[in-house]
Amino acid sequence: MLTGLQIAVIGGDARQLEVIRKLTELDAKLYLIGFEQLDHAFSGAVKEKLDEVDFTCIDAIILPVPGAGVDGQIDTIFSNEKITINEEILKKTPQHCKIYSGINPPYLQEISTKADREVVQLFNRDDVAIYNSIPTVEGALMMAIQHTDFTIHGSNVTVLGLGRTGMSIARAFHALGAKVKVGARKSEHIARITEMGLTPFHLSDIEEAVVDADICINTIPVQVVVASVIAKMPVHTLIIDLASKPGGTDFRYAEKRGVKALLAPGLPGIVAPKTAGRILANVLSQLILANFDEREDKQS
């Protein structure tokens, strides 16, 4: 149980509702910031303004999956107010306070380092990333069906990256009858792609690999689908970029050439927020409880 712990949940989407539900069930006291438009009430959780929360008593801060923007702005779908987090807020928290976020973007990394507070990246964990790849795959399939006028079966699909999401994407499209090529850099990934019965290519050969692509799905969070790559694609190619913002695609050039390119980070929160939220809630509750138990042991 998390009895006695005070946790600030700042912003987020529908996934956070499962997190809030789980933590209140475990008897934590929650302060919900950026949730004033949320109709549902949770026992043990109160809606607050950011400047109304006493951060000197906060044991943990939970941010949305994307963390904080370049100016510290926090995304939320339950508020029209601008919510920003900064170094001063983090410095007010107790030394043991941890910040939980899906990823740790540069701004959040900078202010947490200056405040000497640890950021726990949930998407760095294999279990979260693998579970999360399931709704991501379903969302990518949905987008592919919605934005094309041909079947996935028999189409040429190019997947960039064989990480935890890339592997699930490649496997699912292959299972639906697509002819799947997968680009990677590591020799062990090339071997795994071959073992999976797919067509491997080194990312240095990406321009040759996309010349017949009907669908190109990027999972790599760096610029890989650059202008020279898009120039080699058929005009009908659909690019689905699943990498975190700003993605790995030159969207400006894609639009100029008439190639449809869609940036789709956070698909789990769109297509299956309840399932995606439960994944985060289960892991978060385990991590916070483990941290709480560790502090209790040190104090005893």
Side-chain angles (χ1 to χ4, degrees), residues 92-277:
K92 291 178 183 177
T93 62
Q95 188 68 38
H96 65 260
C97 178
K98 293 186 179 182
I99 299 98
Y100 297 88
S101 175
I103 60 176
N104 189 11
Y107 177 85
L108 181 58
Q109 186 174 10
E110 179 185 351
I111 64 171
S112 60
T113 300
K114 289 180 178 178
D116 192 24
R117 297 295 181 271
E118 180 183 352
V119 175
V120 179
Q121 299 182 68
L122 300 178
F123 279 21
N124 263 5
R125 295 174 56 96
D126 284 337
D127 52 356
V128 173
I130 292 170
Y131 284 132
N132 213 53
S133 72
I134 299 169
T136 300
V137 168
E138 292 188 10
L141 289 168
M142 177 189 72
M143 295 181 72
I145 292 168
Q146 286 179 339
H147 294 279
T148 58
D149 57 3
F150 49 82
T151 61
I152 292 174
H153 186 280
S155 62
N156 293 314
V157 176
T158 302
V159 179
L160 304 178
L162 195 75
R164 295 157 297 195
T165 298
M167 183 177 292
S168 297
I169 289 283
R171 184 183 291 117
F173 276 81
H174 176 64
L176 287 174
K179 290 172 279 188
V180 180
K181 297 178 186 177
V182 185
R185 287 193 176 92
K186 296 180 180 179
S187 58
E188 57 266 35
H189 286 177
I190 297 293
R192 177 60 67 191
I193 295 162
T194 304
E195 182 273 331
M196 293 170 67
L198 310 177
T199 302
F201 67 91
H202 195 277
L203 282 171
S204 60
D205 300 321
I206 185 173
E207 292 183 15
E208 293 77 17
V210 300
V211 294
D212 60 350
D214 297 310
I215 302 171
C216 178
I217 303 174
N218 177 52
T219 68
I220 304 172
V222 295
Q223 282 278 312
V224 287
V225 190
V226 294
S228 60
V229 173
I230 296 170
K232 297 288 186 179
M233 293 177 176
V235 177
H236 72 265
T237 302
L238 171 66
I239 301 172
I240 302 175
D241 199 321
L242 302 177
S244 55
K245 291 180 181 180
T249 300
D250 187 337
F251 292 97
R252 182 202 61 82
Y253 184 77
E255 183 179 4
K256 180 179 179 180
R257 187 161 183 266
V259 173
K260 184 178 287 186
L262 307 172
L263 179 60
L267 270 181
I270 298 170
V271 300
K274 184 174 285 291
T275 298

Side-chain angles (χ1 to χ4, degrees), residues 50-61:
L50 187 67
D51 58 4
E52 295 174 346
V53 176
D54 182 4
F55 279 92
T56 63
C57 300
I58 295 298
D59 298 294
I61 295 174

Side-chain angles (χ1 to χ4, degrees), residues 1-3 17-30 40 42-45 278 281-282 285:
M1 298 295 287
L2 300 177
T3 305
L17 303 185
E18 295 300 320
V19 171
I20 294 167
R21 182 175 290 109
K22 180 76 172 182
L23 295 180
T24 52
E25 287 175 357
L26 291 172
D27 202 28
K29 181 175 182 180
L30 268 57
H40 190 87
F42 295 92
S43 177
R278 285 175 179 169
N282 289 336
S285 59

